[in-house]
Amino acid sequence: DAGVIQSPRHEVTEMGQEVTLRCKPISGHDYLFWYRQTMMRGLELLIYFNNNVPIDDSGMPEDRFSAKMPNASFSTLKIQPSEPRDSAVYFCASSRQANYGYTFGSGTRLTVV
Amino acid sequence: GQNIDQPTEMTATEGAIVQINCTYQTSGFNGLFWYQQHAGEAPTFLSYNVLDGLEEKGRFSSFLSRSKGYSYLLLKELQMKDSASYLCAVRGENAGKSTFGDGTTLTVKP
Protein backbone atom coordinates (compact mmCIF):
# COMPACT_ATOMS: atom_id res chain seq x y z
CA ASP A 1 0.00 0.00 0.00
CA ALA A 2 1.35 3.43 -0.93
CA GLY A 3 -0.09 5.06 2.15
CA VAL A 4 -1.84 8.43 2.18
CA ILE A 5 -0.62 10.52 -0.72
CA GLN A 6 -0.62 14.30 -0.61
CA SER A 7 0.34 16.83 -3.22
CA PRO A 8 2.09 19.13 -3.59
CA ARG A 9 4.79 18.60 -0.93
CA HIS A 10 5.65 22.28 -0.92
CA GLU A 11 3.68 25.29 -2.10
CA VAL A 12 4.78 28.92 -2.12
CA THR A 13 2.17 31.40 -3.23
CA GLU A 14 1.43 35.07 -3.06
CA MET A 15 -1.21 36.53 -0.82
CA GLY A 16 -4.59 36.57 -2.52
CA GLN A 17 -3.95 33.57 -4.72
CA GLU A 18 -6.01 30.39 -4.67
CA VAL A 19 -4.34 27.28 -3.25
CA THR A 20 -5.56 23.72 -3.71
CA LEU A 21 -4.16 20.84 -1.68
CA ARG A 22 -4.83 17.25 -2.71
CA CYS A 23 -5.10 13.97 -0.87
CA LYS A 24 -5.55 10.33 -1.79
CA PRO A 25 -6.46 8.22 1.27
CA ILE A 26 -5.66 4.56 1.77
CA SER A 27 -8.10 2.34 -0.06
CA GLY A 28 -10.75 0.96 2.30
CA HIS A 29 -10.37 3.70 4.87
CA ASP A 30 -13.76 5.22 5.65
CA TYR A 31 -12.52 8.32 7.45
CA LEU A 32 -10.51 11.21 6.01
CA PHE A 33 -9.18 14.12 8.05
CA TRP A 34 -7.54 17.44 7.22
CA TYR A 35 -5.26 18.85 9.92
CA ARG A 36 -3.10 21.96 10.05
CA GLN A 37 0.09 22.15 12.11
CA THR A 38 1.89 25.27 13.27
CA MET A 39 4.36 25.91 16.06
CA MET A 40 1.92 28.22 17.81
CA ARG A 41 -1.24 26.13 17.60
CA GLY A 42 -0.03 22.56 17.18
CA LEU A 43 -2.16 20.09 15.22
CA GLU A 44 -5.64 21.44 14.58
CA LEU A 45 -8.46 19.50 12.96
CA LEU A 46 -10.00 21.44 10.12
CA ILE A 47 -12.60 19.00 8.78
CA TYR A 48 -13.28 15.30 8.53
CA PHE A 49 -15.29 13.05 6.24
CA ASN A 50 -16.91 9.70 6.79
CA ASN A 51 -17.73 7.72 3.64
CA ASN A 52 -17.12 10.88 1.58
CA VAL A 53 -19.62 12.93 3.60
CA PRO A 54 -18.38 15.96 5.59
CA ILE A 55 -19.19 15.30 9.24
CA ASP A 56 -17.55 18.10 11.18
CA ASP A 57 -16.14 21.28 9.66
CA SER A 58 -16.15 23.32 12.86
CA GLY A 59 -12.39 23.68 12.66
CA MET A 60 -12.40 25.40 9.27
CA PRO A 61 -11.07 28.87 10.07
CA GLU A 62 -13.39 30.88 7.86
CA ASP A 63 -15.18 30.98 4.55
CA ARG A 64 -11.90 31.22 2.69
CA PHE A 65 -11.40 27.50 3.38
CA SER A 66 -13.39 24.77 1.68
CA ALA A 67 -12.97 21.00 1.37
CA LYS A 68 -14.50 18.39 -0.87
CA MET A 69 -14.41 14.64 -1.20
CA PRO A 70 -16.05 13.75 -4.53
CA ASN A 71 -15.22 10.06 -4.18
CA ALA A 72 -13.59 7.59 -1.81
CA SER A 73 -10.13 8.05 -3.30
CA PHE A 74 -9.74 11.82 -3.51
CA SER A 75 -10.15 14.94 -1.42
CA THR A 76 -9.18 18.58 -1.82
CA LEU A 77 -8.68 21.47 0.56
CA LYS A 78 -8.93 24.87 -1.06
CA ILE A 79 -7.96 28.28 0.29
CA GLN A 80 -9.23 31.30 -1.61
CA PRO A 81 -7.91 33.92 -1.18
CA SER A 82 -4.80 32.84 0.71
CA GLU A 83 -3.25 34.99 3.45
CA PRO A 84 0.18 34.89 5.15
CA ARG A 85 -1.40 33.56 8.38
CA ASP A 86 -2.42 30.43 6.44
CA SER A 87 1.23 29.40 6.25
CA ALA A 88 1.49 25.99 7.92
CA VAL A 89 1.92 22.29 7.23
CA TYR A 90 -1.35 20.75 6.13
CA PHE A 91 -1.76 17.04 6.79
CA CYS A 92 -4.30 14.68 5.38
CA ALA A 93 -4.93 11.47 7.34
CA SER A 94 -7.19 8.48 6.94
CA SER A 95 -8.38 5.65 9.17
CA ARG A 96 -10.37 2.47 8.70
CA GLN A 97 -12.77 3.02 11.58
CA ALA A 98 -13.31 5.48 14.39
CA ASN A 99 -11.28 3.46 16.88
CA TYR A 100 -8.27 2.98 14.63
CA GLY A 101 -5.16 5.14 14.61
CA TYR A 102 -4.69 7.54 11.75
CA THR A 103 -2.27 7.13 8.88
CA PHE A 104 -0.95 10.54 7.93
CA GLY A 105 0.26 11.72 4.56
CA SER A 106 3.63 13.44 4.25
CA GLY A 107 1.97 16.84 4.44
CA THR A 108 1.98 19.98 2.32
CA ARG A 109 4.15 22.82 3.55
CA LEU A 110 2.33 25.98 2.52
CA THR A 111 4.02 29.36 2.55
CA VAL A 112 1.98 32.45 1.68
CA VAL A 113 4.09 35.54 1.06
CA GLY B 1 -14.56 20.88 24.81
CA GLN B 2 -11.32 19.05 25.35
CA ASN B 3 -8.16 19.95 27.22
CA ILE B 4 -4.99 17.89 26.87
CA ASP B 5 -1.79 18.53 28.81
CA GLN B 6 1.67 17.10 28.21
CA PRO B 7 5.11 18.27 29.30
CA THR B 8 6.75 20.39 26.63
CA GLU B 9 10.19 18.83 26.73
CA MET B 10 12.01 15.86 28.26
CA THR B 11 15.56 14.62 28.09
CA ALA B 12 16.77 11.08 28.73
CA THR B 13 19.86 8.96 28.24
CA GLU B 14 20.35 6.25 25.66
CA GLY B 15 19.47 2.85 27.11
CA ALA B 16 17.30 4.32 29.87
CA ILE B 17 13.53 4.31 30.42
CA VAL B 18 11.35 7.40 30.07
CA GLN B 19 7.70 8.01 30.90
CA ILE B 20 5.74 10.71 29.08
CA ASN B 21 2.54 11.73 30.82
CA CYS B 22 -0.70 13.03 29.39
CA THR B 23 -3.71 14.32 31.28
CA TYR B 24 -6.97 15.14 29.62
CA GLN B 25 -10.44 16.52 30.24
CA THR B 26 -13.07 15.62 27.68
CA SER B 27 -16.79 15.55 27.07
CA GLY B 28 -17.18 11.79 26.66
CA PHE B 29 -14.34 9.39 25.92
CA ASN B 30 -13.80 7.06 22.99
CA GLY B 31 -10.12 6.29 23.17
CA LEU B 32 -6.63 7.71 23.62
CA PHE B 33 -3.87 7.52 21.05
CA TRP B 34 -0.13 8.13 21.06
CA TYR B 35 1.76 9.24 17.98
CA GLN B 36 5.44 9.80 17.27
CA GLN B 37 6.55 12.67 15.06
CA HIS B 38 10.14 13.16 13.95
CA ALA B 39 11.15 16.68 12.99
CA GLY B 40 9.96 17.55 9.50
CA GLU B 41 7.90 14.38 9.16
CA ALA B 42 4.30 13.29 9.61
CA PRO B 43 3.02 11.77 12.85
CA THR B 44 2.97 7.97 12.98
CA PHE B 45 0.58 5.93 15.11
CA LEU B 46 2.07 4.18 18.14
CA SER B 47 -0.72 2.94 20.40
CA TYR B 48 -4.40 2.99 21.27
CA ASN B 49 -6.05 2.61 24.70
CA VAL B 50 -9.77 2.58 25.35
CA LEU B 51 -9.90 0.44 28.50
CA ASP B 52 -7.94 0.98 31.72
CA GLY B 53 -4.61 -0.71 31.96
CA LEU B 54 -1.33 -1.23 30.20
CA GLU B 55 -0.86 -2.05 26.52
CA GLU B 56 2.60 -3.29 25.61
CA LYS B 57 4.09 -3.23 22.14
CA GLY B 58 7.77 -4.01 22.01
CA ARG B 59 9.85 -1.27 23.63
CA PHE B 60 6.78 0.98 23.90
CA SER B 61 3.92 0.64 26.39
CA SER B 62 0.92 2.86 27.00
CA PHE B 63 -1.21 3.09 30.13
CA LEU B 64 -4.67 4.53 30.66
CA SER B 65 -6.74 5.46 33.70
CA ARG B 66 -10.10 6.79 32.58
CA SER B 67 -11.22 7.75 36.08
CA LYS B 68 -8.15 9.95 36.49
CA GLY B 69 -8.09 11.27 32.93
CA TYR B 70 -4.49 10.12 32.72
CA SER B 71 -2.26 8.24 30.34
CA TYR B 72 1.43 7.66 29.94
CA LEU B 73 3.72 6.38 27.24
CA LEU B 74 6.66 4.33 28.48
CA LEU B 75 9.72 3.96 26.28
CA LYS B 76 12.29 1.35 27.30
CA GLU B 77 15.89 0.79 26.14
CA LEU B 78 15.98 4.25 24.62
CA GLN B 79 17.73 4.68 21.31
CA MET B 80 18.94 7.85 19.64
CA LYS B 81 16.29 7.41 16.96
CA ASP B 82 13.60 7.80 19.67
CA SER B 83 14.36 11.53 19.75
CA ALA B 84 11.08 12.96 18.46
CA SER B 85 7.87 14.65 19.52
CA TYR B 86 5.27 12.40 21.16
CA LEU B 87 1.67 13.44 20.72
CA CYS B 88 -1.23 12.39 22.92
CA ALA B 89 -4.61 12.46 21.16
CA VAL B 90 -8.08 11.89 22.59
CA ARG B 91 -11.34 10.94 20.93
CA GLY B 92 -14.16 12.49 22.93
CA GLU B 93 -17.90 12.32 22.50
CA ASN B 94 -17.52 12.92 18.79
CA ALA B 95 -16.00 9.52 18.20
CA GLY B 96 -14.98 10.31 14.66
CA LYS B 97 -12.25 12.82 15.46
CA SER B 98 -9.19 13.14 17.66
CA THR B 99 -7.95 16.24 19.47
CA PHE B 100 -4.17 16.40 19.80
CA GLY B 101 -2.06 17.70 22.64
CA ASP B 102 0.82 20.01 21.86
CA GLY B 103 3.32 17.16 22.08
CA THR B 104 6.34 16.36 24.21
CA THR B 105 9.73 16.80 22.57
CA LEU B 106 12.01 13.99 23.76
CA THR B 107 15.74 14.33 23.35
CA VAL B 108 17.82 11.18 23.82
CA LYS B 109 21.46 11.84 24.69
CA PRO B 110 24.38 9.42 24.46
Side-chain angles (χ1 to χ4, degrees), chain A residues 31 33 35 37 41-43 45 48 56 58 91 95 97-102 104-106, chain B residues 30 33 35 37 40-45 48 87 91 94-102:
Chain A
Y31 287 83
F33 307 84
Y35 279 85
Q37 188 173 39
R41 301 175 68 88
L43 261 174
L45 178 67
Y48 82 93
D56 187 340
S58 58
F91 287 108
S95 70
Q97 295 177 18
N99 60 344
Y100 277 57
Y102 298 169
F104 282 81
S106 298
Chain B
N30 282 287
F33 301 79
Y35 291 82
Q37 185 177 23
E41 298 183 8
T44 56
F45 169 69
Y48 168 66
L87 302 161
R91 273 182 167 150
N94 185 336
K97 68 179 186 181
S98 291
T99 298
F100 283 78
D102 290 338

Side-chain angles (χ1 to χ4, degrees), chain B residues 18-104:
Chain B
V18 71
Q19 178 175 309
I20 302 173
N21 295 325
C22 171
T23 58
Y24 63 89
Q25 294 174 310
T26 63
S27 301
F29 179 80
N30 282 287
L32 186 142
F33 301 79
W34 284 95
Y35 291 82
Q36 179 190 61
Q37 185 177 23
H38 285 101
E41 298 183 8
T44 56
F45 169 69
L46 290 177
S47 68
Y48 168 66
N49 294 70
V50 67
L51 299 177
D52 291 350
L54 188 68
E55 295 281 342
E56 297 186 80
K57 193 184 294 185
R59 293 190 299 114
F60 293 5
S61 302
S62 57
F63 172 83
L64 175 67
S65 169
R66 289 172 296 170
S67 63
K68 295 182 179 178
Y70 169 69
S71 173
Y72 67 73
L73 180 68
L74 193 71
L75 290 73
K76 304 176 185 176
E77 302 170 14
L78 280 173
Q79 302 175 10
M80 300 298 290
K81 67 178 182 179
D82 297 330
S83 293
S85 179
Y86 291 85
L87 302 161
C88 172
V90 176
R91 273 182 167 150
E93 61 185 357
N94 185 336
K97 68 179 186 181
S98 291
T99 298
F100 283 78
D102 290 338
T104 298

Side-chain angles (χ1 to χ4, degrees), chain A residues 15-32:
Chain A
M15 183 172 62
Q17 295 298 305
E18 177 179 294
V19 176
T20 299
L21 311 181
R22 298 173 176 79
C23 176
K24 176 180 169 55
I26 292 174
S27 177
H29 282 195
D30 294 335
Y31 287 83
L32 183 140

Side-chain angles (χ1 to χ4, degrees), chain A residues 42-63:
Chain A
L43 261 174
E44 302 175 277
L45 178 67
L46 300 176
I47 185 171
Y48 82 93
F49 297 82
N50 181 304
N51 292 321
N52 313 339
V53 177
I55 303 299
D56 187 340
D57 66 354
S58 58
M60 296 286 260
E62 49 200 88
D63 292 345

